[in-house]
Amino acid sequence: MLLTLSVLSGAVQSEALLSKEYPEAVKSVVEQRCMVCHGCYDAPCQLKMDAWMGLERGASKEKVYNGARLLPAKLTRLYEDAHSVEEWRDKGFFPVLDKSDPQQGLMYQMLNLKVEYPLPTSGTLPNTFDFNLDRDQSCPKPDEFANYREERPYQGMPYGFPGLDPDRLAVLTDWIEAGAPGKAVTPRPDAEIRAVDEWETFLNAPDKKSRLMARYIFEHLFIGDIYFEDFGTDSAWYKLVRSRTAPGQPIDLIATRRPYDDPGSEPFYYRLQIRYISRLAKRHMPYALSAKRMARWKELFLETEYEVAELPGYKGKDFANPFINFEQLPVETRYRFMLDEAHFTIMAYIKGPVCRGQVALNVIDDHFWVAFARPNAADPEQKAAFLAAEAKEMRLPQAKGSFVVTALQWRGYAKSQQRFLKAQAKAISKVVDQHSLKLDMNLIWDGGPERNDNASLTVFRHFDSATVVKGLVGQQPQTMWVIDYSLLERIHYLLVAGFDVYGAVGHQLESRLYMDFLRMEGEQAFLLFLPEDQREAVRNQWYRGAKDDVKNYIVSPKLAKFEPNSDIDFQTDDPKSELMGMFKERIPTADNARYAVTEPSLATLMDEQNEAFSYLPEVSFLRVLSPRGTAKVYSLIHNQAHSNNAQLFAEEDRRLPEEDTLTVAKGFIGSYPNMFFQITEGQLAKFTAALSSLSSSEDYTALVEQFGVRRTAPWFWKLSDEFTAEYKRSYPLEAGLFDLNRYQNR
């Protein structure tokens, strides 16, 4: 009885902390001036200010992202790994507020330091400001602030940006002096509470089919920001969690390192936990629940004919293998579930914790298109048995503590992957013979009768971050992936469900190593649609300068002999470009008007490769002012070219700047803008001409001097606020705060 009371007490405490947020006026200031750097895992000093509890928790000298960590780090996920300020202090977090003497609190003193020592109002900041993501962070405790003030007088907050205007500063300091109290949140409407009850009842039905369904859904949606579509922008945001307590009781969170880890409690329940956290573009992944969604899931998971003889457990060597755990769940059900929201499925990999850091992302090209194999192109029941039988060849890396990732491991994965691909090719050939299928564009999912706009995607890599958008956006890229069920599932379990941002460097490097094969599998599926005699030349173009191991793998005669012939009748001497055009024709929603650029001088920037683009940062936002007082916003995305991306390190040695491209898109693409440009319509021709003729770093500096907005510009915050407001106006459910940690000092 005492144990039960203790558990429920912790649950109630956690719920109480969740039920407070910033007062509205304070929240506006904190979002626009603080959260733009202090949010998510990579918040400097782990000071996550995206929730009031994050400010109460304080800061830490330990980094979450540590490229040399030999052992896994202790988990410090806000709202998950501790549930009180006292517990966070025990984990090494120190206060940034002083309740007894508010003016002595670290946050107050950092704000005041900026008032005493403001930044210059023009030019670049001196080299004493380090804006590298892997910089040595200075995280002074309150009793260390005097030394910080003496050594870094110009590094008050906001760090490396103009200070707060007097009105905003007064709002913030008055609140801090009052004890920085949290505001009790407004109770949710009865209709929304009923919706939560309905969904929790649905996800906790006791029959075996429902329980298997719920586990599958949880392991795919645990990272999402869930909202109720029927309530639109008025809906609160929820996280799907596992709890020791049943629906109707306060949530007692089961916080495991990974979503498929043993919950250690029987029974446990799937719950929707409300989150009063500000939305950050870099991690915000909205997923809608609605009556239509529930009906769809019932159709896929519960009305489909299949039997669940025994529920999978959470122990044993195969506890993390989805092909074994969910063998009883029809493949078509699993695949259609992910395809329905394929943008979310891929976005979880792109926006999840793995997307922080160059090593994690240099496995993919800077710009590529994605399409999907049509569901049920092969016998789904045969496929389910096949995947379970071949699961050992698709084993995913598990967390390891070793730093060493060897060529022997690479070859081991290569052999396993080749065995799987051979078995897959044989199975497909058998189905082709049985069903007279042709290898043509009819095998590509076009979105179905409902014209699902998830049928095609574009991925942009921005060196150490990335973005995925719907449609085939921009100029034709060098590469394209075609993804089927097994590849999509492995991407999810490797880089979302199975990736541990707190893990040792060995785990992170091995995950990146394994992703080599998933990328090549997606690329090879695209190449299969080309004429047989054209495939090797394209492969060689993609892997120029790659090591012999890679070349022998991707052009392996043993693998090539299992590749079927394409049934497409090509009409030109450039079949790769022709094929990419066919994908656009096949998928009705491939041309996404949201990003279309109609301004000729900007559109022509996408016509060719140009070394001039190599001097640009990864992502820039451009605001074009009209004489009528209106403005248009564009994203300029620099796509860096490489001879290949099949090597772990020495990325700069593989650069081909003369093949760089620039994608121009209407609106916003990218969560981490590196530079803002603001021009008038009359300056467009001059701006684009200067941009496309850059030939040195000095030329780029001159471009910024004339058209850019530096960190020191007095109007920096005004423009930043306007970009954020425009994003929210245009896409209120999708939009989040942009992260300014990567903003240039040029």
Side-chain angles (χ1 to χ4, degrees):
M1 180 66 177
L2 288 176
L3 178 61
T4 302
L5 289 175
S6 174
V7 167
L8 288 177
S9 175
V12 172
Q13 184 180 41
S14 178
E15 291 288 302
L17 289 171
L18 278 170
S19 63
K20 285 192 176 182
E21 60 181 345
Y22 293 107
E24 202 58 43
V26 172
K27 181 180 181 181
S28 175
V29 178
V30 172
E31 283 187 338
Q32 296 171 10
R33 299 296 180 268
C34 305
M35 292 184 202
V36 289
C37 289
H38 285 276
C40 203
Y41 289 108
D42 54 358
C45 306
Q46 291 199 58
L47 179 56
K48 275 172 52 68
M49 300 178 69
D50 54 339
W52 173 80
M53 182 56 202
L55 184 61
E56 288 283 297
R57 176 179 78 163
S60 169
K61 292 181 180 287
E62 297 295 323
K63 284 185 177 182
V64 172
Y65 292 98
N66 184 342
R69 186 165 53 218
L70 298 181
L71 296 173
K74 294 180 180 178
L75 300 174
T76 56
R77 298 166 298 185
L78 189 64
Y79 291 126
E80 294 185 43
D81 300 312
H83 302 292
S84 69
V85 172
E86 293 74 20
E87 289 178 4
W88 286 119
R89 296 292 173 264
D90 291 340
K91 290 181 178 288
F93 281 76
F94 56 86
V96 297
L97 301 170
D98 189 326
K99 301 294 186 179
S100 61
D101 188 354
Q103 292 188 3
Q104 293 303 307
L106 191 61
M107 182 177 175
Y108 190 98
Q109 295 195 76
M110 284 288 192
L111 292 168
N112 191 56
L113 185 61
K114 178 57 71 77
V115 176
E116 290 186 71
Y117 296 94
L119 295 185
T121 56
S122 63
T124 59
L125 294 171
N127 292 335
T128 51
F129 285 87
D130 187 355
F131 298 112
N132 292 316
L133 285 181
D134 295 323
R135 66 183 180 270
D136 291 331
Q137 295 179 359
S138 180
C139 308
K141 293 184 177 181
D143 60 357
E144 299 168 342
F145 179 75
N147 288 336
Y148 179 95
R149 187 181 188 280
E150 183 176 346
E151 295 173 1
R152 304 166 182 257
Y154 288 94
Q155 295 186 15
M157 296 296 149
Y159 176 77
F161 287 112
L164 278 62
D165 62 77
D167 289 344
R168 286 186 173 88
L169 182 63
V171 168
L172 210 50
T173 54
D174 288 351
W175 176 67
I176 294 172
E177 289 175 346
K183 176 182 77 75
V185 300
T186 304
R188 301 311 303 162
D190 290 344
E192 189 171 312
I193 293 173
R194 287 194 296 271
V196 171
D197 291 341
E198 181 182 8
W199 275 96
E200 290 186 344
T201 299
F202 172 68
L203 291 170
N204 289 289
D207 63 283
K208 289 180 178 178
K209 284 178 82 169
S210 293
R211 291 176 66 189
L212 189 63
M213 171 195 72
R215 176 171 175 177
Y216 189 80
I217 289 171
F218 170 72
E219 290 185 12
H220 288 76
L221 299 191
F222 73 98
I223 200 169
D225 296 317
I226 294 172
Y227 70 100
F228 292 104
E229 191 172 34
D230 294 341
F231 303 109
T233 56
D234 291 330
S235 172
W237 294 91
Y238 295 84
K239 182 177 176 65
L240 185 59
V241 301
R242 296 184 293 187
S243 173
R244 298 176 185 87
T245 48
Q249 300 179 40
I251 290 174
D252 184 15
L253 186 69
I254 299 173
T256 56
R257 193 172 281 264
R258 298 177 181 82
Y260 51 70
D261 286 345
D262 189 349
S265 176
E266 190 67 41
F268 66 88
Y269 305 89
Y270 296 102
R271 305 288 303 278
L272 289 169
Q273 185 178 50
I274 196 166
R275 290 296 177 97
Y276 295 102
I277 294 179
S278 295
R279 288 161 20 215
L280 306 174
K282 62 183 175 181
R283 68 146 195 246
H284 181 50
M285 291 173 276
Y287 195 101
L289 296 184
S290 63
K292 182 179 178 182
R293 179 84 68 195
M294 186 178 288
R296 173 63 168 165
W297 287 357
K298 287 178 179 178
E299 173 194 357
L300 288 176
F301 291 97
L302 304 180
E303 295 168 8
T304 302
E305 290 294 328
Y306 64 98
E307 296 294 328
V308 179
E310 184 178 356
L311 292 170
Y314 291 92
K315 296 181 176 10
K317 64 179 182 178
D318 297 319
F319 80 100
N321 194 312
F323 304 110
I324 293 175
N325 286 338
F326 299 108
E327 181 182 0
Q328 300 169 97
L329 197 57
V331 167
E332 187 176 359
T333 289
R334 296 178 246 167
Y335 191 28
R336 288 189 181 277
F337 167 80
M338 288 193 287
L339 282 186
D340 281 351
E341 298 292 341
H343 177 243
F344 174 90
T345 304
I346 297 296
M347 182 165 53
Y349 151 46
I350 295 298
K351 278 194 175 183
V354 72
C355 72
R356 162 68 159 85
Q358 174 196 4
V359 172
L361 282 171
N362 70 7
V363 71
I364 61 174
D365 288 277
D366 268 37
H367 178 209
F368 63 95
W369 290 347
V370 176
F372 301 91
R374 179 167 56 88
N376 205 22
D379 182 351
E381 294 301 324
Q382 177 183 339
K383 191 86 170 191
F386 163 76
L387 290 172
E390 296 296 325
K392 64 181 183 299
E393 307 295 1
M394 297 184 287
R395 68 188 191 281
L396 299 178
Q398 297 301 308
K400 292 181 175 66
S402 172
F403 179 86
V404 179
V405 178
T406 67
L408 186 62
Q409 286 173 293
W410 195 96
R411 287 193 290 270
Y413 283 131
K415 290 178 180 178
S416 292
Q417 181 74 354
Q418 283 196 340
R419 286 192 292 267
F420 165 68
L421 292 176
K422 289 176 186 177
Q424 184 185 54
K426 289 180 179 179
I428 290 174
S429 296
K430 183 178 180 180
V431 173
V432 167
D433 291 341
Q434 290 174 344
H435 300 278
S436 301
L437 293 178
K438 290 185 176 182
L439 182 51
D440 58 20
M441 296 306 293
N442 288 321
L443 295 182
I444 299 301
W445 182 50
D446 63 0
E450 65 277 13
R451 296 170 64 94
N452 189 319
D453 63 0
N454 288 270
S456 61
L457 305 172
T458 299
V459 176
F460 294 98
R461 177 204 169 197
H462 320 300
F463 187 66
D464 51 17
S465 68
T467 306
V468 57
V469 298
K470 293 180 179 179
L472 303 180
V473 176
Q475 60 273 71
Q476 279 196 1
Q478 284 292 312
T479 61
M480 183 169 183
W481 298 8
V482 174
I483 297 178
D484 64 2
Y485 162 71
S486 72
L487 179 55
L488 189 59
E489 195 76 277
R490 279 175 284 152
I491 290 174
H492 175 78
Y493 274 87
L494 174 71
L495 296 172
V496 185
F499 188 84
D500 181 11
V501 70
Y502 292 89
V505 64
H507 159 66
Q508 299 185 17
L509 292 178
E510 194 171 355
S511 296
R512 187 275 180 228
L513 184 77
Y514 189 87
M515 184 60 198
D516 260 342
F517 301 102
L518 302 190
R519 181 200 68 246
M520 287 188 278
E521 187 176 334
E523 291 173 342
Q524 288 177 10
F526 166 76
L527 292 177
L528 287 179
F529 290 88
L530 290 175
E532 187 177 10
D533 61 357
Q534 298 287 320
R535 296 168 188 167
E536 185 172 341
V538 177
R539 285 189 180 110
N540 288 338
Q541 172 72 10
W542 289 350
Y543 290 92
R544 289 169 284 174
K547 293 182 178 180
D548 289 342
D549 279 341
V550 176
K551 287 183 177 178
N552 292 337
Y553 173 79
I554 63 174
V555 296
S556 169
K558 294 180 181 179
L559 188 59
K561 72 178 183 180
F562 291 101
E563 294 180 350
N565 295 324
S566 173
D567 290 301
I568 297 174
D569 183 18
F570 289 92
Q571 303 296 315
T572 72
D573 58 1
D574 186 1
K576 190 187 84 167
S577 294
E578 188 178 352
L579 179 59
M580 286 185 169
M582 291 180 186
F583 277 91
K584 274 204 162 186
E585 293 175 3
R586 166 73 177 169
I587 303 169
T589 57
D591 281 316
N592 192 339
R594 167 177 171 175
Y595 301 108
V597 175
T598 56
E599 171 54 52
S601 60
L602 290 173
T604 55
L605 292 171
M606 294 187 281
D607 288 346
E608 60 183 1
Q609 300 170 346
N610 191 336
E611 189 169 355
F613 302 145
S614 68
Y615 297 100
L616 293 172
E618 284 73 30
V619 176
S620 304
F621 292 162
L622 169 66
R623 192 167 187 248
V624 182
L625 304 171
S626 77
R628 300 173 298 280
T630 59
K632 293 181 180 179
V633 175
Y634 301 91
S635 295
L636 310 178
I637 304 119
H638 170 208
N639 306 312
Q640 297 188 38
H642 300 81
S643 57
N644 69 80
N645 55 12
Q647 294 170 230
L648 192 57
F649 301 110
E651 179 173 356
E652 191 58 33
D653 294 342
R654 292 177 280 114
R655 283 282 286 116
L656 299 172
E658 67 277 7
E659 296 183 12
D660 285 7
T661 61
L662 185 72
T663 299
V664 183
K666 183 175 66 176
F668 298 99
I669 290 180
S671 303
Y672 301 85
N674 306 113
M675 180 56 63
F676 296 155
F677 292 102
Q678 182 166 265
I679 63 176
T680 65
E681 284 183 356
Q683 294 175 308
L684 256 174
K686 187 175 181 180
F687 173 75
T688 55
L691 191 154
S692 58
S693 60
L694 297 173
S695 61
S696 67
S697 295
E698 290 74 20
D699 286 350
Y700 175 69
T701 299
L703 183 80
V704 172
E705 184 72 35
Q706 187 172 9
F707 302 112
V709 181
R710 289 194 169 110
R711 283 175 169 264
T712 54
W715 61 91
F716 176 87
W717 286 123
K718 180 177 184 296
L719 183 57
S720 176
D721 293 345
E722 287 171 349
F723 279 137
T724 301
E726 174 63 23
Y727 193 17
K728 289 182 178 179
R729 278 194 301 270
S730 302
Y731 300 97
L733 288 168
E734 169 197 309
L737 297 165
F738 298 115
D739 189 294
L740 301 179
N741 275 297
R742 291 165 169 81
Y743 202 84
Q744 284 188 332
N745 179 37
R746 294 287 299 273

